[in-house]
Amino acid sequence: MRANHEIPNEFSRWTYSQHYFAEDCGEEVIEHILQHCPSPKGRTILGAQLLDEKKHVSFFTKITNQVGIDERAKAFADGYTSLIFEQTSISEKIFCFQILTEAISAALCQWRLDNLSDNRFFAMDAEVLEDEVRHLKMGECLLSICDDDELSTTLTKVKQRELIKSMNSVCQEAFLSAPDSGQVEWMKTMNREVAKRLLAEARHASFSLNSGRGL
């Protein structure tokens, strides 16, 4: 049920700007992962996702052209990109992007659909949300075709927990850095929903991965 309150326009601009920068970095991240992906099936999946990322950039460009762009709203994009590039294996990179980052993107879309009073962009948010849910399933598929030896030595349960903690820290830094004090409560509310979705999707992917490996 949609919340019955008005959220400041400045906050709408901030959250859509965060999402625009995140999607804009998505193309670079997928190109980076493609360089480490020898599997034809994996490359096909990543290629399909790349097309969606380009579409999402177009969507959020249209939105920010109307509501304005907040150049300060780059913390999430910078944080998740750095985290992915720091990882040494493709399985870690996939877990960070196709699972954790996509879970956050889905949560942002869902939160806006449930809470923002300005419905001009709901159709685009809903379409991005549908894509991100599909990308999460694609991420599980990508993990299932990773090398078993690599998975057992790099993307361990301990490493998965470390990555979840690191991504949550990226979110905390990005989504609690309100441009002004009047937006702090909206930030806290949104961040709670993002954290819940992040943990839920990570647990689901981890369970599927570990079950497939007989763990």
Side-chain angles (χ1 to χ4, degrees):
M1 183 179 296
R2 186 159 298 128
N4 197 12
H5 50 239
E6 292 285 332
I7 292 180
N9 290 334
E10 292 80 5
F11 183 76
S12 295
R13 178 164 54 249
W14 182 88
T15 183
Y16 279 120
S17 295
Q18 284 279 3
H19 218 147
Y20 163 76
F21 289 122
E23 295 288 351
D24 194 44
C25 286
E27 296 181 53
E28 177 187 5
V29 169
I30 292 178
E31 293 287 1
H32 170 73
I33 296 175
L34 275 166
Q35 295 175 18
H36 297 78
C37 182
S39 164
K41 182 178 181 180
R43 295 183 67 82
T44 298
I45 293 172
L46 289 166
Q49 186 179 355
L50 182 58
L51 294 177
D52 285 340
E53 298 297 331
K54 293 178 183 293
K55 177 181 70 173
H56 297 171
V57 171
S58 175
F59 280 177
F60 287 111
T61 297
K62 291 177 183 178
I63 294 173
T64 55
N65 281 344
Q66 294 187 58
V67 302
I69 189 80
D70 189 335
E71 294 290 345
R72 299 169 295 179
K74 294 181 178 180
F76 175 61
D78 291 343
Y80 93 75
T81 301
S82 295
L83 182 62
I84 291 167
F85 276 61
E86 288 169 4
Q87 305 312 309
T88 58
S89 73
I90 186 171
S91 59
E92 293 166 305
K93 295 176 188 293
I94 289 170
F95 189 77
C96 283
F97 187 61
Q98 273 78 14
I99 303 300
L100 303 184
T101 307
E102 298 293 23
I104 294 165
S105 180
L108 291 175
C109 290
Q110 189 67 66
W111 190 88
R112 287 193 296 261
L113 289 167
D114 290 343
N115 290 278
L116 294 191
S117 57
D118 185 348
N119 64 5
R120 289 176 295 168
F121 313 121
F122 281 2
M124 283 185 278
D125 262 331
E127 186 167 344
V128 174
L129 174 59
E130 183 178 347
D131 288 343
E132 305 302 39
V133 170
R134 181 162 44 83
H135 292 168
L136 285 161
K137 296 177 181 177
M138 292 161 67
E140 291 186 26
C141 182
L142 285 167
L143 288 175
S144 73
I145 60 178
C146 283
D147 181 76
D148 285 340
D149 290 338
E150 177 189 309
L151 287 171
S152 64
T153 57
T154 59
L155 194 61
T156 62
K157 289 184 178 181
V158 172
K159 182 62 176 182
Q160 290 170 39
R161 287 194 292 269
E162 289 177 356
L163 292 174
I164 293 168
K165 183 177 179 180
S166 295
M167 188 65 81
N168 190 54
S169 295
V170 169
C171 291
Q172 291 283 335
E173 180 179 348
F175 300 146
L176 295 181
S177 57
D180 62 65
S181 59
Q183 299 178 36
V184 171
E185 287 307 312
W186 304 126
M187 300 283 183
K188 289 181 178 179
T189 301
M190 186 188 74
N191 191 65
R192 283 195 294 269
E193 294 305 310
V194 169
K196 285 167 56 179
R197 184 70 177 259
L198 171 65
L199 185 57
E201 296 293 354
R203 283 176 172 170
H204 182 270
S206 180
F207 177 79
S208 298
L209 176 62
N210 294 330
S211 296
R213 291 155 59 187
L215 299 179

